[in-house]
Amino acid sequence: MDTIISRKSSKKKKLLIVLPLILIMGYFVFASMSKKRSLNVKKEEIIIKNVQNDFFEDFVLIQAKVTPLHAMLVNVIEGGSVQEVYVENGDRVTKGQPLVRLYNPNTELNYMQQETAIIEQINNLNKAKLDLRNQELNLAKDLIAIEHDFQDAKNLYDLNKNLYDKEILAKNEWIVTQENYRFQKERMDIIKQSVSKEKQANSIQIVQLNQSIAIMNQSLSILRKNKNNFLIVAPLSGRLSSFEPILGKTFVQGNSIGTIDMMKGYKLTAEVDEFYLNKLREGLTGTVEYDGKNLNVEIAKIISEVKDGRFLVELNFIHQEELTLNQGISFGVKINLSGKEKRTVLSKGAFYQDTAGQWVFVVNGNRATKRAVKFGRENPLYYEVLEGLQPHEKVITSSYKNYKEIEELYIEQ
């Protein structure tokens, strides 16, 4: 009979072998998970800055361009090609001085046709006035003849009345005399009324004709004046800029051919990133460095319409005296958003783009450890430190692009 061999001892042996292995592997996994991720870096590859307790001033640096405080565009009234140029860009010009002459044959022909049509209309209106005058003259002649006939009838009436009263004139002849006198009197009264009404009507027509002729003459004057629009003259005295006509170049009606600076002050215009739209406001002051001096400026206007991520700001010099600037030159303008205040600050650096200002590497000896921080305001030079850092501590401010998953850096000399 076979004997059954127990396998318990074999299982115990395997368990005793596997269990230590599992414990050893668990230890290494736990150790690797709990160990801080570290990296060796060379000192020359990083930038280290000190946390400072210094004056913090909230300001914005913008690039602005000089433009005239008072200027006027020189616009093309009648389009055409450049025929003659009388001045050059940058010249000082006086009001009414010719700048350039344009030519457009089609417009010239159109002007001639309009001028001919207006003159013809004026002649027709003058002829209508003359016809009315002749009509009045003819009526006056007719009235004189009728008054003469009436006077003859009246004289005959007076004579025959005496004769009839003395029974010298026959009754039939006296009746004929009376009838003729009545007819001539009524005829004269009717003609006088007609002439009076005709004169009134003619007077009204003549006034209307005179008004029409005056309007036509005014139109003719404007038309002839417009013919001179091909000669572009300076609308005011000043310095000419942005003036670059070329012989033969065509300008369309309404286009600007140049700008005249009245030489009565300057202003600055700047295109500013939309990030600062809510930070800037009219009345804020700033400074511009020019010729070794700081010139004070003030925001005069903010055009809040954003185009391509930027909006327009206009600044005036607070003191315009003795300023001689060239149009178009640029200045760096420092706009003050707040006064100077003692704050804990850290120099700006590329690290902020990688951490969004939530943590930094703080240097202690040859090690840099990751630490959570909180920043407040910023200016082009500093971040305001609210939490996590103390003055005199050292922080790596260069890029953290390769250290995002690292918690500790070892700095090699």
Side-chain angles (χ1 to χ4, degrees):
M1 185 175 180
D2 294 335
T3 302
I4 299 174
I5 300 173
S6 176
R7 302 180 62 183
K8 291 183 178 179
S9 60
S10 176
K11 289 182 179 180
K12 288 181 178 179
K13 289 180 180 180
K14 290 182 179 180
L15 184 61
L16 290 173
I17 295 172
V18 172
L19 184 60
L21 292 175
I22 293 174
L23 293 173
I24 292 171
M25 290 178 63
Y27 170 78
F28 282 111
V29 170
F30 176 77
S32 63
M33 291 180 64
S34 61
K35 183 179 180 181
K36 292 183 178 180
R37 295 183 181 180
S38 62
L39 182 69
N40 294 337
V41 296
K42 294 182 179 180
K43 189 174 182 179
E44 59 266 22
E45 294 177 353
I46 60 176
I47 298 173
I48 300 175
K49 294 289 185 179
N50 288 330
V51 179
Q52 305 175 51
N53 186 22
D54 201 352
F55 285 105
F56 179 85
E57 184 180 12
D58 197 3
F59 66 91
V60 176
L61 289 177
I62 61 176
Q63 198 70 14
K65 185 170 61 175
V66 174
T67 58
L69 185 61
H70 303 288
M72 179 178 287
L73 291 175
V74 181
N75 293 324
V76 175
I77 301 175
E78 290 292 345
S81 59
V82 177
Q83 189 177 40
E84 294 179 272
V85 180
Y86 304 109
V87 294
E88 295 182 354
N89 191 39
D91 287 352
R92 289 178 177 266
V93 296
T94 57
K95 184 177 180 179
Q97 180 179 345
L99 306 179
V100 64
R101 181 181 291 278
L102 305 180
Y103 178 68
N104 188 328
N106 293 330
T107 305
E108 287 275 7
L109 179 60
N110 185 44
Y111 277 150
M112 292 178 61
Q113 292 174 344
Q114 291 183 50
E115 185 176 13
T116 301
I118 291 174
I119 292 174
E120 184 177 353
Q121 291 182 41
I122 292 175
N123 290 336
N124 290 336
L125 293 173
N126 283 325
K127 184 177 180 301
K129 279 177 59 179
L130 182 61
D131 291 341
L132 291 175
R133 297 296 185 190
N134 290 333
Q135 185 179 359
E136 286 185 6
L137 183 60
N138 292 331
L139 288 173
K141 291 178 180 179
D142 293 341
L143 182 58
I144 291 173
I146 291 169
E147 287 177 343
H148 181 268
D149 292 343
F150 169 75
Q151 191 61 42
D152 287 345
K154 184 177 182 305
N155 293 335
L156 182 59
Y157 175 85
D158 293 338
L159 177 61
N160 288 344
K161 185 176 184 305
N162 291 328
L163 293 176
Y164 180 74
D165 290 341
K166 294 178 181 181
E167 298 182 354
I168 297 174
L169 185 66
K171 184 176 182 180
N172 291 338
E173 191 172 349
W174 169 240
I175 293 172
V176 172
T177 301
Q178 285 181 318
E179 181 63 24
N180 184 54
Y181 174 73
R182 182 195 61 79
F183 168 75
Q184 292 298 338
K185 187 175 184 304
E186 292 181 359
R187 179 189 177 200
M188 184 185 67
D189 292 339
I190 292 173
I191 295 298
K192 279 185 175 182
Q193 291 178 9
S194 177
V195 170
S196 176
K197 291 180 180 179
E198 195 72 27
K199 283 184 177 181
Q200 291 177 359
N202 287 352
S203 296
I204 294 173
Q205 291 187 54
I206 289 173
V207 169
Q208 292 174 344
L209 289 171
N210 285 333
Q211 290 175 347
S212 298
I213 291 172
I215 293 173
M216 290 295 175
N217 282 322
Q218 186 177 5
S219 299
L220 186 61
S221 176
I222 294 173
L223 181 65
R224 287 171 176 170
K225 184 179 179 180
N226 288 343
K227 289 174 67 176
N228 295 326
N229 287 336
F230 290 114
L231 177 65
I232 299 176
V233 300
L236 47 81
S237 299
R239 184 171 58 192
L240 188 63
S241 62
S242 303
F243 182 73
E244 297 178 354
I246 302 172
L247 292 178
K249 182 178 179 179
T250 300
F251 287 90
V252 180
Q253 181 181 9
N255 279 4
S256 172
I257 201 170
T259 304
I260 294 181
D261 174 9
M262 295 177 64
M263 308 296 289
K264 293 182 179 179
Y266 303 89
K267 64 181 178 181
L268 298 174
T269 58
E271 291 185 353
V272 184
D273 191 278
E274 62 181 325
F275 173 79
Y276 298 104
L277 183 58
N278 293 327
K279 293 189 174 185
L280 299 182
R281 65 182 186 276
E282 294 179 4
L284 285 177
T285 59
T287 56
V288 173
E289 185 177 348
Y290 172 70
D291 198 20
K293 298 182 295 184
N294 284 331
L295 304 178
N296 295 320
V297 296
E298 181 182 35
I299 295 180
K301 183 187 296 184
I302 294 177
I303 301 174
S304 56
E305 180 183 3
V306 177
K307 293 182 179 179
D308 299 325
R310 306 182 75 81
F311 65 98
L312 189 65
V313 175
E314 292 185 2
L315 305 101
N316 287 341
F317 289 95
I318 294 178
H319 302 290
Q320 293 277 353
E321 301 84 19
E322 300 180 0
L323 277 182
T324 304
L325 304 175
N326 293 321
Q327 181 179 346
I329 63 174
S330 296
F331 289 108
V333 184
K334 178 184 176 184
I335 303 296
N336 302 315
L337 302 179
S338 70
K340 291 184 178 181
E341 302 170 313
K342 274 280 188 178
R343 290 287 186 270
T344 301
V345 295
L346 175 65
S347 298
K348 299 190 76 170
F351 74 94
Y352 197 92
Q353 298 176 358
D354 301 315
T355 70
Q358 297 180 355
W359 58 271
V360 295
F361 280 112
V362 180
V363 179
N364 185 7
N366 65 343
R367 282 196 318 171
T369 56
K370 190 175 182 180
R371 185 189 297 179
V373 294
K374 183 178 180 181
F375 294 117
R377 296 171 297 172
E378 64 178 276
N379 63 29
L381 301 178
Y382 298 110
Y383 297 112
E384 180 187 21
V385 179
L386 300 180
E387 296 176 6
L389 294 173
Q390 297 298 324
H392 308 300
E393 287 189 303
K394 296 181 178 181
V395 175
I396 297 176
T397 58
S398 51
S399 176
Y400 291 179
K401 183 178 180 181
N402 299 322
Y403 316 142
K404 291 183 179 181
E405 305 300 325
I406 304 300
E407 295 185 0
E408 197 169 53
L409 296 176
Y410 289 93
I411 303 171
E412 298 177 350
Q413 297 295 329

